Amino acid sequence: MKVSNKGSSKAAPVKQSADQVSELTTNRLSVYLRCLNALENAGVRTISSQALAQQFHLNAAQIRKDLAYFGEFGVRGVGYYVRDLKRHLRQILGLDQKLRVAIMGAGNLGLALADYPGFRMEGFEIAALFDNLREKVGQQSRLGVPIYDIHDLKKIAKREGVRIAVLAVPATSAQHVFNLVVAAGIKAVLNFSPGTMQAPPDVKLKSVDLTVSLESLSFFLAQGDGES
Amino acid sequence: MKVSNKGSSKAAPVKQSADQVSELTTNRLSVYLRCLNALENAGVRTISSQALAQQFHLNAAQIRKDLAYFGEFGVRGVGYYVRDLKRHLRQILGLDQKLRVAIMGAGNLGLALADYPGFRMEGFEIAALFDNLREKVGQQSRLGVPIYDIHDLKKIAKREGVRIAVLAVPATSAQHVFNLVVAAGIKAVLNFSPGTMQAPPDVKLKSVDLTVSLESLSFFLAQGDGES
DNA sequence: TTTTGTGAACTAGTTCACAGCT
DNA sequence: AGCTGTGAACTAGTTCACAAAA
């Protein structure tokens, strides 16, 4: 341990970061957690950064650096205790408490995301869908997520304790809906709508741009065809 | 122009890359193209890197560097001709020819992606869905994309000229389906299934990991709550 | 004058390599 | 012996700043 334990807290094992961590690092923490889950299911009790790296095609030094950012979780000569490290990662990622999610837009994509199994693991809970079409409001997704009127977002987000919004609305209304989300006090948004978005500094906006992803693949094909 | 035009080709205006371009750059090319489309629709004929940067919150020098990788498209003292640059970008990204796409997995997500409007713009064409469930095969998506048996992938991919596959299958079968895609001669894959995947070097694999994205947001919230 | 295209400077991210702990 | 945690070295990516072109 290097940081002097200033003040009262008795033996806090986690640095709790402070200076902001790179997004690349936080993404990897999530990957590590998934690897640890797989290892635990396979009955592995302890793992070295080396072994973890080999098994999942990562870099050992990077794993150690990423983890060291938040504390000293390893044991020299041994490695990491799978169960312990898993617990620490879940705590660092804020997955030790259930996080409630709202999905904006009950179109094809919104409905698919609402029932997406990957979201239901690891402590997320899809609490609500929102749309502005009369015929959709009052319905629910196949797995039972209710569809509310987007005008009630503020009220219902408060009532349901929604912390994260997922944007699955057409590009044309993306900024407008985003603004509504921000006005409802939600501070973290996963955006699937294409295009630029203007976000206030205290709101975390993460965008998945399907068009950009596909066009990037198209570029690869276009380059590859002309060579070798 | 700096690269000596070695050999026969008469005045090729595009460097056609060769040494591989960073994925960050290719992603941005796609973004630039979208900006140019918006500008053209707004009737703008010419734009400087400066103006483009301001309007879409980008960096002017970076725009110029990214473009300079592929040729000299600008006019000093003027900027870029919107129509020209658009054409060049479409050509660089390989969007001047229709690219046919197959979607693996006709579940909620696969069906949603098959009908996703963003994919249908800019030259992509969703040619087929594939699944292994009897009751799905022979059906089609709302917009009419036919669902085939995954066993016929090779045959149909060939027949339809599929160049890109989108993986929307459960995590447990992702690697298996990916292998089938590779065996069918498809060289570019957009993967929505979580987890690590083993890909041969000549196949471009791009992954969108929704769990990682959400957990990254969770991290942000967990950090933010403890401070200020 | 305006704006590009680009070397140089800078910043961020990754990997190496090893002291030090178990 | 084995493995972590981490400074140092390296690599990649971004931004600056300016000469050259229109």
Side-chain angles (χ1 to χ4, degrees), chain A residues 219 223, chain B residues 17-26 29 66 69-70:
Chain A
F219 172 84
Q223 296 307 305
Chain B
S17 108
D19 33 31
Q20 90 270 18
V21 186
S22 148
E23 185 130 348
L24 296 169
T25 300
T26 71
L29 293 180
D66 286 339
Y69 230 103
F70 299 94

Side-chain angles (χ1 to χ4, degrees), chain A residues 152-169:
Chain A
D152 299 329
L153 173 61
K154 203 167 202 161
K155 186 180 69 188
I156 290 167
K158 240 94 195 180
R159 189 185 77 197
E160 299 286 333
V162 170
R163 308 284 311 278
I164 297 179
V166 175
L167 250 66
V169 300

